[in-house]
Amino acid sequence: MSVIEFLHSRRAIRNYQPREVEKEKIEQLLKVATLAPNDRLREPWSFYVIQGEAKKRYEQVALDYLQERFPTKPKLIESSIEVVKNTPVIIMVTADIASNKADTKDNEYAVCCAIHSMWLAACELELGFVWRTRGVGLVHDQRSYQFIGSPEGKKMVGTIFLGYPDQSETEVGMLKKRTSYEEKTVWL
Ligand SMILES: Cc1cc2nc3c(=O)[nH]c(=O)nc-3n(C[C@H](O)[C@H](O)[C@H](O)COP(=O)(O)O)c2cc1C
């Protein structure tokens, strides 16, 4: 498939088979991420790969967050934790906070490019992928920083959930709703 074909078929995949993802494939994703465009080659990204025992700890952090955020919604908490449990690999991605606002913003943009590169590569490797920020993505919760060891000067940009796609996900793979570019474009 060409890049353009992958861009047409790429989908957010949220359900996975209970199958391990090969380390080589995870490394391929990380490698393509580091090839992303980035201002003045600051290479502002860091990746935190969460599997096995670390994923058990992530589940606990997510549970603490959900219980605090949704104290009256036990069903939502249960289903959200199931999602974490059924995800083979989680990767948190941060951007470096620079000495000024403009560079910090550019760093975040570069990290977004890196995550999108990983997403396209995941399609080629037949892996299901979703970039999460809300809920169990924990991007907007301070606990995520403690979880990755409270590194100095990093901003959480995305949490990737990754695995071999569940059959039900590949069946809806063709549906993609978007407003036409014509309605979103001004030709000046
Ligand atoms: C910055 C960003 C944050 C997102 N956060 C979430 C999220 O927290 N939970 C989720 O299920 N999907 C999340 N998504 C995935 C979008 O919901 C998904 O891309 C959108 O529904 C369009 O579907 P598609 O990717 O299959 O085209 C996020 C995507 C982006 C780019």
Side-chain angles (χ1 to χ4, degrees):
M1 250 204 265
S2 70
V3 173
I4 289 176
E5 285 167 335
F6 276 124
L7 286 165
H8 278 282
S9 64
R10 182 212 54 78
R11 293 303 316 268
I13 304 290
R14 302 180 178 85
N15 294 300
Y16 314 100
Q17 299 169 31
R19 173 180 166 192
E20 213 175 292
V21 178
E22 298 86 342
K23 189 167 185 218
E24 299 70 41
K25 288 200 173 182
I26 301 172
E27 285 173 336
Q28 273 182 290
L29 297 186
L30 296 167
K31 175 143 197 205
V32 298
T34 64
L35 303 176
N38 64 100
D39 183 44
R40 294 189 181 161
L41 286 180
R42 284 192 292 274
E43 304 185 84
W45 33 68
S46 300
F47 307 94
Y48 304 83
V49 181
I50 301 158
Q51 293 174 290
E53 188 50 41
K55 203 163 76 67
K56 289 254 174 288
R57 286 192 283 112
Y58 189 96
E59 269 167 46
Q60 187 56 52
V61 176
L63 182 63
D64 294 344
Y65 163 74
L66 292 167
Q67 283 174 338
E68 189 180 297
R69 177 87 176 74
F70 306 106
T72 59
K73 297 187 175 169
K75 285 211 169 107
L76 172 73
I77 295 175
E78 198 185 323
S79 61
S80 301
I81 290 299
E82 273 307 295
V83 167
V84 180
K85 281 196 173 133
N86 296 334
T87 301
V89 185
I90 295 175
I91 305 175
M92 300 190 104
V93 190
T94 61
D96 293 345
I97 296 168
S99 55
N100 64 75
K101 276 190 184 162
D103 284 357
T104 296
K105 250 193 193 175
D106 285 351
N107 284 353
E108 287 174 38
Y109 299 152
V111 170
C112 293
C113 293
I115 296 175
H116 193 242
S117 298
M118 295 171 86
W119 205 331
L120 286 187
C123 296
E124 184 171 328
L125 298 174
E126 296 180 341
L127 292 168
F129 187 112
V130 65
W131 173 352
R132 288 182 186 270
T133 52
R134 293 172 283 105
V136 290
L138 297 175
V139 164
H140 305 298
D141 189 72
Q142 283 305 312
R143 273 168 274 236
S144 61
Y145 292 91
Q146 287 152 23
F147 180 77
I148 61 167
S150 305
E152 286 280 301
K154 309 271 185 206
K155 180 166 178 204
M156 197 64 71
V157 174
T159 302
I160 294 160
F161 280 44
L162 182 72
Y164 282 96
D166 190 84
Q167 188 62 25
S168 60
E169 293 274 16
T170 46
E171 279 161 13
V172 295
M174 289 300 115
L175 306 167
K176 190 146 170 158
K177 283 229 152 67
R178 289 293 195 273
T179 306
S180 164
Y181 72 89
E182 287 155 330
E183 288 181 47
K184 296 282 184 184
T185 307
V186 180
W187 299 78
L188 296 170

